[in-house]
Amino acid sequence: MQANGAGGGQQQQPPPPPSSSSQGPDLGCLNAQNGEASSGLTTGEQLAHANGLLPSANNGDGGGGPSVNNGVSAPAGSALEMGGGSGVGVGSSALKKKKRLSQSDEDVIRLIGQHLHGLGLKKQHRMIVWREYGSSQTVDLLMQESGCRLEHPSATKFRNHVMEGEWDKAENDLNELKPLVHSSNAIVKMKFLLLQQKYLEYLEDGKVLEALQVLRGELTPLKYNTERIHILSGYLMCSHPEDLRTKAEWEGKGTTSRSKLLDKLQTYLPPSVMLPPRRLQNLLRQAVELQRDRCLYHNTKLDNNLESVSLLIDHVCNRKHFPCYTQQILTEHCNEVWFCKFSNDGTKLATGSKDTTVIIWQVDPDTHQLKLLKTLEGHAYGVSYIAWSPDDNYLVACGPDDCSELWLWNVQTGELRTKMSQSHEDSLTSVAWNPDGKRFVTGGQRGQFYQCDLDGNLLDSWEGVRVQCLWCLTDGKTVLASDTHQRIRGYNFEDLTDRNIVQEDHPIMSFTISKNGRLALLNVATQGVHLWDLQDRVLVRKYQGVTQGFYTIHSCFGGHNEDFIASGSEDHKVYIWHKRSELPIAELTGHTRTVNCVSWNPQIPSMMASASDDGTVRIWGPSPFVDSQDIEEECSSMDS
């Protein structure tokens, strides 16, 4: 906080040492103007005078300069007349008339002070002027000028004693802090943490007897967390400091472990006494995260590091970076395409068609273009559903309602491993893999519900369940099945129990589950797309815009953190919603008939595929051309 000179826009140079004969708008001049009263002040106090922070004694006649604190104004254009850089008026009358700060202003000043202190500006500063003139006073001057207090004096002593490892003094400080702490038990917890650090440091220094005294004479009498005390006592057997640090998961004696200790201790103190650790950074991080959450097109990996963002502008993502643009049209199928699904590793896409084939496409990791890898033929009734094994080595293909067969393909070799058919009366229209990759379940609307191994051998069956769609949960036991009673039930093949989870008022045509197993996305006949919370068993949201009749349409979760939802529609469009918004954020056009299925690449958040009755598969991605003007316009729209 250096006083402004009279040189207008000229760059300020470091002032020379104070001298009664120096001239010009520098600190030496300011000291001369204050006369002999300033001659005995420290450098930091001189800077405080220059900023109007400290009251001065009455000026004497020595020096002959103009008086500052006796109500006489400084010469025109001088540093003092221009405010001294502090924004505080000149003279004692200005100090008396200082504006009273609001509580929020005081909070902000304390946050800034804590942040500066954390950066090391309490002890040193990189700016030349501040280093020359009292860098140790940076935070103190801020507090003094504002009239605020960074923290309670007892808290300051406590902090210093903890960081210096003066544990007896730190314990005494706790007695001073006790009236300021809301919970009496908090002091016991804080003392336990202090003694634990003291005990570990004694052990690391090889002072076993002293450590034992702390354990028996100080920690144990607290009668708190006896389980932890037992663990601490085991550290007495550690033969080397490295062994101690490893077993205790402790950084060792020094600044790092003491700083972490102080962070824990601060949680027990009210913010009026000592601010929570890194409070300003945490608030800024929360603000950035909130802006990201509200950004409709944010589809990149979340980075909580503030270094990766600019705090000077609001966060905004350009729509042209979102998969809203046709990148490629796959036309190798010669009839309606009923299903598409990316592999779990995102390197392949499988598409199933009425033309009796499954086509495996390879995704180029650099260009994100797809090329035909294999064609799997012989599905007489067509392919309406596909499921990749967890390791992507196998693929199961099912047909429409009148198909009693199921095909299990080896993706690597393109060979058919198993063709399963229990009965010609069956209808096997859906399939789901067990997380172990060794079993799968399949079923259909004629009442078949089987669990099989990779060779098609029947392991278990459940009678009388008319299955519309299936999903295996990650627990390896529970299978979710939507049935003709407009519900989703959970079936446990181990203990043969079942329970109702979701109940709709209209037929559930298909559903899919989020990666964490918490949310279910349903395509409901005549209703559209519904989002359910499986844990709370409540309907979370109904998404608008999509046209859903009694055709089977498959929707999906997608994007980073699965923040988005996409679905096909009978009006030939692909709809995309943000998970928290009922209205679509994008309507993708290009298909000329019903869009039956969409699949979001699980590893490439900017890639999505859609399959349609028009016989094509469209690959969607960002706009091929994004320039800086687009980004500026997007920022302008966000600001407005």
Side-chain angles (χ1 to χ4, degrees):
M1 291 177 284
Q2 183 193 1
N4 290 325
Q10 295 179 358
Q11 185 174 358
Q12 191 73 18
Q13 298 295 327
S19 170
S20 60
S21 61
S22 60
Q23 300 294 325
D26 55 19
L27 289 177
C29 179
L30 296 177
N31 293 335
Q33 290 171 357
N34 280 312
E36 297 298 329
S38 65
S39 61
L41 298 179
T42 65
T43 307
E45 290 170 333
Q46 293 169 6
L47 181 57
H49 276 291
N51 283 282
L53 301 180
L54 297 177
S56 299
N58 290 333
N59 292 317
D61 294 331
S67 173
V68 176
N69 288 323
N70 287 325
V72 181
S73 59
S78 71
L80 292 179
E81 184 182 66
M82 296 179 69
S86 66
V88 180
V90 180
S92 59
S93 60
L95 291 173
K96 293 178 182 178
K97 296 179 180 179
K98 184 181 294 184
K99 178 184 176 182
R100 181 179 179 85
L101 297 176
S102 66
Q103 183 61 51
S104 61
D105 289 336
E106 291 184 11
D107 291 345
V108 170
I109 290 172
R110 291 185 66 202
L111 291 173
I112 293 173
Q114 184 197 44
H115 185 65
L116 294 176
H117 190 285
L119 292 176
L121 299 188
K122 174 69 178 172
K123 296 182 179 180
Q124 65 179 30
H125 199 283
R126 294 183 180 179
M127 290 183 67
I128 297 176
V129 176
W130 287 5
R131 186 171 66 237
E132 291 279 346
Y133 292 94
S135 61
S136 64
Q137 302 299 318
T138 305
V139 178
D140 293 338
L141 291 181
L142 174 63
M143 295 298 112
Q144 196 168 12
E145 179 181 355
S146 62
C148 298
R149 187 172 64 184
L150 182 59
E151 57 189 16
H152 195 280
S154 297
T156 302
K157 285 198 304 179
F158 180 62
R159 174 196 300 279
N160 293 335
H161 291 152
V162 169
M163 293 305 297
E164 292 166 7
E166 297 181 358
W167 306 117
D168 293 337
K169 293 181 180 179
E171 286 185 59
N172 292 332
D173 296 335
L174 282 181
N175 296 326
E176 297 183 22
L177 291 170
K178 191 172 183 179
L180 305 174
V181 178
H182 301 315
S183 171
S184 58
N185 193 37
I187 294 295
V188 177
K189 295 178 180 178
M190 294 174 72
K191 187 173 183 180
F192 185 90
L193 292 171
L194 279 176
L195 294 174
Q196 177 179 253
Q197 179 79 11
K198 179 181 179 181
Y199 168 77
L200 292 173
E201 291 195 8
Y202 273 149
L203 281 182
E204 187 182 46
D205 290 340
K207 300 178 180 179
V208 179
L209 293 179
E210 289 87 341
L212 190 59
Q213 175 59 32
V214 172
L215 186 67
R216 292 178 176 177
E218 299 183 64
L219 276 168
T220 303
L222 290 178
K223 297 180 180 179
Y224 172 76
N225 202 347
T226 54
E227 182 179 352
R228 178 62 179 168
I229 290 177
H230 290 316
I231 296 174
L232 291 174
S233 64
Y235 299 152
L236 288 166
M237 306 302 295
C238 294
S239 56
H240 301 286
E242 289 185 4
D243 188 28
L244 170 67
R245 291 191 289 267
T246 301
K247 290 184 177 180
E249 297 180 353
W250 180 60
E251 293 78 8
K253 179 180 179 180
T255 303
T256 302
S257 64
R258 291 173 183 174
S259 296
K260 287 188 176 182
L261 169 64
L262 195 60
D263 288 350
K264 294 178 182 178
L265 294 169
Q266 283 179 279
T267 61
Y268 297 102
L269 296 172
S272 58
V273 176
M274 181 183 285
L275 287 173
R278 295 170 292 279
R279 183 60 181 160
L280 181 59
Q281 294 97 313
N282 290 335
L283 288 174
L284 293 174
R285 189 175 293 109
Q286 291 172 17
V288 170
E289 290 175 358
L290 180 62
Q291 289 190 11
R292 284 171 171 169
D293 287 343
R294 292 181 176 179
C295 178
L296 293 178
Y297 299 106
H298 185 76
N299 191 30
T300 56
K301 184 177 181 180
L302 296 178
D303 188 352
N304 293 328
N305 185 2
L306 291 179
E307 297 295 329
S308 65
V309 299
S310 171
L311 300 177
L312 305 181
I313 59 174
D314 287 340
H315 171 85
V316 62
C317 291
N318 196 311
R319 185 182 187 274
K320 292 191 174 182
H321 294 143
F322 205 69
C324 297
Y325 303 87
T326 300
Q327 302 286 324
Q328 195 175 359
I329 302 176
L330 310 178
T331 59
E332 277 72 4
H333 284 293
C334 56
N335 209 325
E336 298 172 357
V337 186
W338 288 339
F339 199 83
C340 62
K341 185 72 173 178
F342 280 104
S343 59
N344 298 295
D345 62 8
T347 63
K348 298 177 182 66
L349 173 70
T351 56
S353 170
K354 187 178 179 181
D355 66 6
T356 73
T357 67
V358 172
I359 297 181
I360 308 295
W361 308 86
Q362 184 72 46
V363 179
D364 188 295
D366 299 321
T367 64
H368 293 177
Q369 292 291 298
L370 278 68
K371 65 178 181 179
L372 193 152
L373 184 63
K374 289 183 177 69
T375 300
L376 311 178
E377 302 176 338
H379 311 84
Y381 296 89
V383 179
S384 61
Y385 196 87
I386 296 171
W388 291 88
S389 65
D391 58 8
D392 293 327
N393 288 331
Y394 294 99
L395 182 146
V396 176
C398 300
D401 291 343
D402 51 356
C403 179
S404 62
E405 298 175 330
L406 174 148
W407 292 263
L408 175 61
W409 296 91
N410 185 316
V411 177
Q412 305 300 323
T413 64
E415 297 176 352
L416 179 65
R417 171 160 179 169
T418 304
K419 181 179 179 181
M420 191 189 97
S421 179
Q422 293 294 322
S423 168
H424 294 295
E425 303 278 329
D426 288 353
S427 172
L428 303 180
T429 59
S430 184
V431 66
W433 284 88
N434 189 286
D436 64 12
K438 299 177 181 179
R439 297 168 289 165
F440 60 86
V441 291
T442 183
Q445 292 193 12
R446 296 179 185 174
Q448 294 76 39
F449 190 8
Y450 304 133
Q451 182 170 221
C452 309
D453 62 17
L454 296 183
D455 295 320
N457 299 317
L458 187 63
L459 302 177
D460 296 290
S461 65
W462 209 295
E463 299 296 331
V465 182
R466 298 182 180 273
V467 174
Q468 180 70 29
C469 191
L470 293 167
W471 195 275
C472 290
L473 295 184
T474 54
D475 62 7
K477 302 176 182 178
T478 307
V479 178
L480 302 184
S482 61
D483 56 31
T484 53
H485 297 287
Q486 305 166 5
R487 65 189 179 182
I488 295 178
R489 291 179 66 81
Y491 297 87
N492 190 315
F493 275 93
E494 292 188 1
D495 57 20
L496 300 180
T497 58
D498 60 326
R499 58 193 175 95
N500 204 46
I501 297 178
V502 170
Q503 182 67 59
E504 283 278 1
D505 297 327
H506 298 82
I508 300 172
M509 307 307 295
S510 68
F511 74 92
T512 187
I513 306 297
S514 61
K515 288 180 180 178
N516 60 13
R518 178 71 183 265
L519 301 175
L521 191 61
L522 285 60
N523 282 74
V524 183
T526 72
Q527 302 301 300
V529 181
H530 291 180
L531 183 68
W532 280 78
D533 187 315
L534 297 181
Q535 182 173 313
D536 297 336
R537 302 186 189 182
V538 295
L539 176 62
V540 177
R541 196 160 286 110
K542 296 181 179 180
Y543 297 101
Q544 302 178 20
V546 68
T547 302
Q548 169 79 64
F550 287 89
Y551 288 108
T552 299
I553 293 176
H554 300 273
S555 56
C556 70
F557 294 96
H560 263 301
N561 204 33
E562 292 192 327
D563 283 335
F564 302 97
I565 286 168
S567 177
S569 176
E570 293 180 19
D571 63 2
H572 315 164
K573 297 179 183 179
V574 174
Y575 287 82
I576 303 178
W577 301 266
H578 195 284
K579 193 163 55 179
R580 289 183 293 272
S581 176
E582 295 181 356
L583 297 176
I585 61 173
E587 299 178 16
L588 313 186
T589 60
H591 287 294
T592 57
R593 293 182 64 187
T594 296
V595 180
N596 299 307
C597 183
V598 292
S599 178
W600 213 303
N601 192 308
Q603 304 301 326
I604 306 176
S606 60
M607 175 182 286
M608 186 175 63
S610 59
S612 171
D613 281 347
D614 63 11
T616 68
V617 176
R618 283 182 177 254
I619 306 300
W620 306 89
S623 171
F625 304 104
V626 180
D627 55 32
S628 58
Q629 183 177 356
D630 294 325
I631 298 176
E632 291 176 2
E633 291 175 355
E634 197 78 16
C635 291
S636 299
S637 65
M638 174 65 78
D639 292 339
S640 62

